[in-house]
């Protein structure tokens, strides 16, 4: 046994309550457009896409040098899970890096299809529904301190999650009784209940499966699966940033107004379908409130604690500013207030302008085609890269940060350890296994367990990396 | 925590708060029109077939 195996795991770090680990998991839509589409199943297409990954990783489920995870999930969806991040900037960079990593798999897959005589072009969408109405997700992970009353703690978040779509929804043309309409979220129609430990049989808003990927005595994971995938960086910023602020207050046991809904499932649909923001939802205590009012209560509550329970920073100020403008945009019916920052408004602006030009209705397939182009992550066939260049979509992190995040892990969390280990092992051509809380060299009896996601240094990993480098 | 500021087109310009509102980044209609002009042909080509052929299974 080598030295790394005999070293003790370091004690858990004592971290301030404001520091949180976040992660985002994104399932991408995979589409072969062209005459060859009938010749290949989604599973076969996914396997062509992951051919180059299997070549080096011997699996279609791998961890990368940037410490994130890349795999094929249920339904043949390519999925990318960011490494654990403790800042919104790192999270956005890792999330955007993931789009490029997945998109970079396309050329090899395209060649393989050509060799097999299958015609068509591969498109990858960061969206949440296909044309048949199948739904797939973007999951948000927030590490929270373990507590005995987790279920009631988590349910406190539900009214916030149901109504936040009026600011951070992706916007979508959806099918309604009176024909097509523009909704805040397409995903809302696929959410069935508030909380559950299952994700595919019943689709909950918060998944309660107890999988902290960290010291289970100290932490739990708040696994929010009700959000939309986001294209515009400021939408990711607001989606995760505001949820973190609410969780901070909840963890500090600051009493929040009781806005428990009578039916989360009905409310999430009613809110999604009403772009005017005037439809009310029924609270458990019988009150009727609009989503605008509910979001404003949360924003005012947070604002009241800035400078107290929540330290005032430029980032908190930017979050509150965008949050307020997002609520105002709905209340005043002025999407232009957030037309470069929040996905639903960016999309609505684009779709409405094209609809006017074509003098058509929302049921026109050319508008659905435009919608797919908005979510297409290719720099050639997708719109986001150009819209960012033209100032039509705002950014939060610069391109250098995204390029760096494609290979480098976030430096301030456990991800730094996993990334360093994987870089060393791959550099030396050594087989290894890794997951969120473990790293191990193949043929070596030692598994190094990394239970503290806040810890970015560990002498056991130093030793392991030194041994790999000395042996190569 | 990193200090980041969400910024949009014209984000470096001074904010106009005459009306007591924070000036929001405005989507530039000319740029939207130019974009739509450039992608119009691609969007028009077999749009219905393109959209209908995107069918996948549900995920999580």
């Amino acid at each position: 046994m080598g030295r790394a195996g005999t070293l003790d795991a370091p004690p858990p770090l004592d971290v301030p309550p404001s520091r949180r680990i976040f992660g985002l998991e994104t399932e991408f839509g995979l589409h072969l457009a062209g005459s060859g589409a009938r010749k290949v199943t989604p599973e076969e297409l996914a396997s062509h896409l992951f051919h180059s990954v299997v070549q080096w990783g011997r699996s279609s489920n791998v961890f990368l040098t940037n410490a994130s995870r890349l795999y094929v999930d249920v339904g043949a969806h390519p999925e990318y899970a960011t490494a654990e991040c403790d800042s919104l900037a790192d999270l956005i960079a890792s999330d955007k890096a993931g789009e490029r990593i997945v998109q970079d798999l396309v050329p090899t897959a395209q060649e393989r299809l050509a060799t097999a005589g299958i015609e068509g072009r591969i498109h990858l969408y960061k969206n949440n529904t296909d044309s048949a109405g199948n739904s797939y997700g973007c999951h948000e992970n927030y590490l929270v301190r373990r507590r005995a009353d987790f279920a009631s703690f988590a349910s406190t978040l539900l009214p916030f999650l149901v109504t936040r779509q009026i600011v951070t929804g992706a916007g979508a043309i959806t099918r309604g009784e009176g024909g097509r309409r523009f909704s805040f979220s397409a995903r809302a129609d696929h959410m069935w209940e508030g909380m559950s430990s299952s994700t595919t049989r019943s689709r909950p808003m918060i998944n309660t499966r107890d999988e902290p990927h960290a010291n289970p005595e100290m932490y739990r994971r708040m696994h929010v699966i009700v959000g939309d995938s986001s294209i515009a960086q400021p939408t990711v910023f607001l989606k995760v940033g505001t949820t973190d602020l609410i969780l901070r207050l909840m963890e500090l046991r600051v009493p929040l107004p009781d806005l428990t809904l009578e039916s989360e499932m009905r409310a999430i649909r009613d809110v999604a379908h009403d772009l005017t923001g005037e439809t009310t939802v029924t609270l458990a205590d019988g009150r009727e409130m609009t989503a605008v009012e509910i979001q404003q209560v949360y924003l005012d509550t947070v604002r009241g604690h800035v400078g107290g329970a929540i330290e005032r920073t430029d980032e908190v100020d930017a979050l509150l500013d965008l949050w307020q403008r997002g609520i105002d945009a709905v209340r005043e019916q002025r999407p232009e207030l957030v037309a470069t920052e929040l996905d639903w408004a960016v999309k609505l602006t684009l779709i409405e302008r094209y609809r006017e030009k074509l003098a058509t209705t929302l049921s026109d397939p050319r508008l659905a085609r435009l919608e797919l182009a908005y979510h297409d992550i290719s720099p050639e066939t997708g719109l986001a890269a150009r819209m960012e260049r033209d100032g039509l979509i705002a950014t939060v992190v610069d391109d250098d940060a995204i390029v760096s995040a494609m290979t480098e892990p976030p430096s301030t969390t456990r991800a730094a350890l996993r990334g360093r280990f994987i870089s060393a092992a791959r550099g030396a051509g050594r087989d290894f296994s890794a997951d969120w809380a473990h790293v191990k060299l193949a043929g070596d009896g030692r598994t190094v367990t990394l239970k503290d996601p806040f810890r970015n240094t560990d002498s056991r990993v130093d030793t392991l990396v030194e041994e790999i480098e000395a042996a190569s | 925590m990193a200090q980041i500021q969400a910024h949009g087109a014209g984000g470096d310009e001074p904010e106009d708060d005459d009306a007591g509102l924070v000036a929001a980044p405005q989507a530039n209609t000319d740029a939207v029109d130019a974009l739509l002009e450039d992608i119009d042909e691609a969007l028009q080509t077999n749009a219905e077939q393109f959209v209908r052929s995107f069918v996948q299974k549900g995920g999580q």
Side-chain angles (χ1 to χ4, degrees):
Chain A
M1 184 178 255
R3 287 180 298 136
T6 60
L7 289 169
D8 288 337
L13 289 174
D14 187 22
V15 297
S18 59
R19 202 167 155 222
R20 188 181 312 286
I21 298 287
F22 320 102
L24 282 174
E25 304 165 26
T26 304
E27 293 178 322
F28 292 90
L30 175 59
H31 178 202
L32 181 65
S35 62
R38 283 182 303 274
K39 294 187 202 162
V40 56
T41 65
E43 288 74 17
E44 287 165 346
L45 191 56
S47 112
H48 284 303
L49 192 68
F50 274 71
H51 180 78
S52 52
V53 175
V54 174
Q55 288 292 299
W56 68 256
R58 300 184 188 189
S59 166
S60 57
N61 178 359
V62 295
F63 278 84
L64 307 173
T65 60
N66 73 354
S68 63
R69 182 181 171 209
L70 177 66
Y71 52 116
V72 181
D73 203 6
V74 180
H77 291 274
E79 177 155 345
Y80 173 85
T82 67
E84 47 282 72
C85 299
D86 67 350
S87 76
L88 293 173
D90 280 352
L91 183 71
I92 293 167
S94 183
D95 183 55
K96 287 284 151 185
E99 294 176 18
R100 299 189 191 188
I101 288 167
V102 175
Q103 181 64 35
D104 281 352
L105 302 177
V106 169
T108 306
Q110 204 73 65
E111 282 169 28
R112 290 176 57 79
L113 288 177
T115 306
I118 298 167
E119 282 179 29
R121 180 161 191 168
I122 297 170
H123 295 265
L124 285 160
Y125 307 117
K126 194 184 193 192
N127 71 348
N128 301 108
T129 47
D130 70 10
S131 299
N134 295 309
S135 175
Y136 38 93
C138 172
H139 301 174
E140 298 152 60
N141 295 308
Y142 303 87
L143 196 75
V144 297
R145 278 70 183 171
R146 183 165 291 271
R147 50 195 294 158
D149 59 341
F150 182 78
S152 80
F153 171 78
S155 67
T156 309
L157 199 58
L158 290 173
F160 170 76
L161 295 177
V162 164
T163 52
R164 69 174 180 167
Q165 57 177 315
I166 68 165
V167 282
T168 55
I173 300 172
T174 59
R175 216 184 293 255
E177 287 150 24
R180 306 280 172 151
R181 60 190 163 189
F182 194 87
S183 300
F184 284 113
S185 165
R187 178 99 168 135
D189 291 335
H190 301 272
M191 284 293 148
W192 299 328
E193 58 183 323
M195 295 200 298
S196 160
S197 59
S198 165
T199 52
T200 44
R201 272 178 297 118
S202 71
R203 211 169 251 134
M205 298 172 192
I206 296 172
N207 180 279
T208 55
R209 195 172 40 180
D210 192 357
E211 245 177 26
H213 299 306
N215 185 341
E217 286 158 24
M218 298 177 68
Y219 299 113
R220 253 196 99 132
R221 177 172 68 148
M222 180 73 87
H223 191 47
V224 174
I225 64 181
V226 71
D228 285 348
S229 301
S230 306
I231 294 292
Q233 294 178 22
T235 307
V236 184
F237 176 68
L238 191 64
K239 178 173 70 179
V240 178
T242 53
T243 306
D244 168 53
L245 292 177
I246 300 288
L247 282 173
R248 261 197 247 176
L249 292 182
M250 286 164 58
E251 291 206 277
L252 291 167
R253 298 181 190 265
V254 170
L256 296 177
D258 183 2
L259 300 170
T260 306
L261 300 167
E262 184 192 56
S263 162
E264 283 90 13
M265 189 186 84
R266 186 184 317 144
I268 200 167
R269 285 162 174 70
D270 290 347
V271 170
H273 300 149
D274 173 38
L275 221 53
T276 71
E278 288 173 354
T279 294
T280 58
V281 297
T282 308
L283 273 55
D285 61 14
R287 278 182 294 165
E288 297 281 325
M289 287 178 78
T290 66
V292 164
E293 288 165 346
I294 291 174
Q295 281 291 304
Q296 191 67 57
V297 168
Y298 281 113
L299 170 48
D300 290 344
T301 304
V302 169
R303 194 180 268 142
H305 290 283
V306 172
I310 296 170
E311 189 194 346
R312 179 181 291 282
T313 62
D314 288 350
E315 184 175 272
V316 168
D317 284 340
L319 281 169
L320 295 186
D321 166 59
L322 181 55
W323 195 0
Q324 186 64 68
R325 276 189 292 116
I327 296 171
D328 290 345
V330 181
R331 181 192 286 125
E332 299 168 16
Q333 293 292 284
R334 293 169 65 201
E336 64 270 23
L337 292 176
V338 288
T340 63
E341 294 157 297
L342 299 185
D343 274 326
W344 73 267
V346 181
K347 261 174 96 174
L348 180 65
T349 306
L350 201 58
I351 286 173
E352 274 303 295
R353 190 72 185 164
Y354 198 42
R355 193 184 62 75
E356 283 166 21
K357 279 179 178 301
L358 298 174
T360 187
T361 66
L362 280 180
S363 59
D364 193 313
R366 292 171 294 184
L367 299 178
R369 176 71 189 85
L370 175 61
E371 220 187 331
L372 285 179
Y374 183 75
H375 293 280
D376 189 328
I377 58 173
S378 157
E380 284 97 40
T381 54
L383 306 184
R386 160 148 182 198
M387 291 182 76
E388 286 180 354
R389 273 198 306 278
D390 291 354
L392 295 172
I393 297 180
T395 56
V396 176
V397 299
D398 61 25
D399 200 64
D400 290 345
I402 298 170
V403 171
S404 165
M406 290 174 71
T407 51
E408 298 294 322
S411 62
T412 48
T413 69
R414 176 177 62 189
L417 297 172
R418 184 184 317 109
R420 199 151 64 88
F421 168 77
I422 293 175
S423 285
R426 282 188 65 183
R430 297 283 298 270
D431 284 342
F432 66 93
S433 61
D435 65 25
W436 296 112
H438 305 92
V439 294
K440 184 178 189 300
L441 275 179
D444 181 310
R446 299 163 296 169
T447 296
V448 177
T449 303
L450 303 169
K451 285 208 296 193
D452 187 350
F454 290 103
R455 183 177 277 286
N456 65 344
T457 58
D458 190 312
S459 57
R460 296 169 303 160
V461 175
D462 294 341
T463 304
L464 200 52
V465 168
E466 281 163 22
E467 287 177 8
I468 294 169
E469 286 170 350
S472 64
Chain B
M1 193 163 280
Q3 296 193 347
I4 47 180
Q5 197 84 42
H7 58 274
D12 294 328
E13 289 161 19
E15 289 176 345
D16 173 12
D17 57 3
D18 283 349
L21 293 169
V22 178
Q26 296 273 340
N28 176 341
T29 309
D30 290 346
V32 171
D33 286 348
L35 170 66
L36 290 172
E37 185 81 34
D38 288 349
I39 62 176
D40 182 58
E41 196 183 327
L43 296 184
Q44 302 254 12
T45 309
N46 295 325
E48 184 162 13
Q49 169 61 26
F50 184 98
V51 170
R52 245 199 341 229
S53 71
F54 173 45
V55 176
Q56 230 189 335
K57 289 174 188 165
Q60 292 192 331

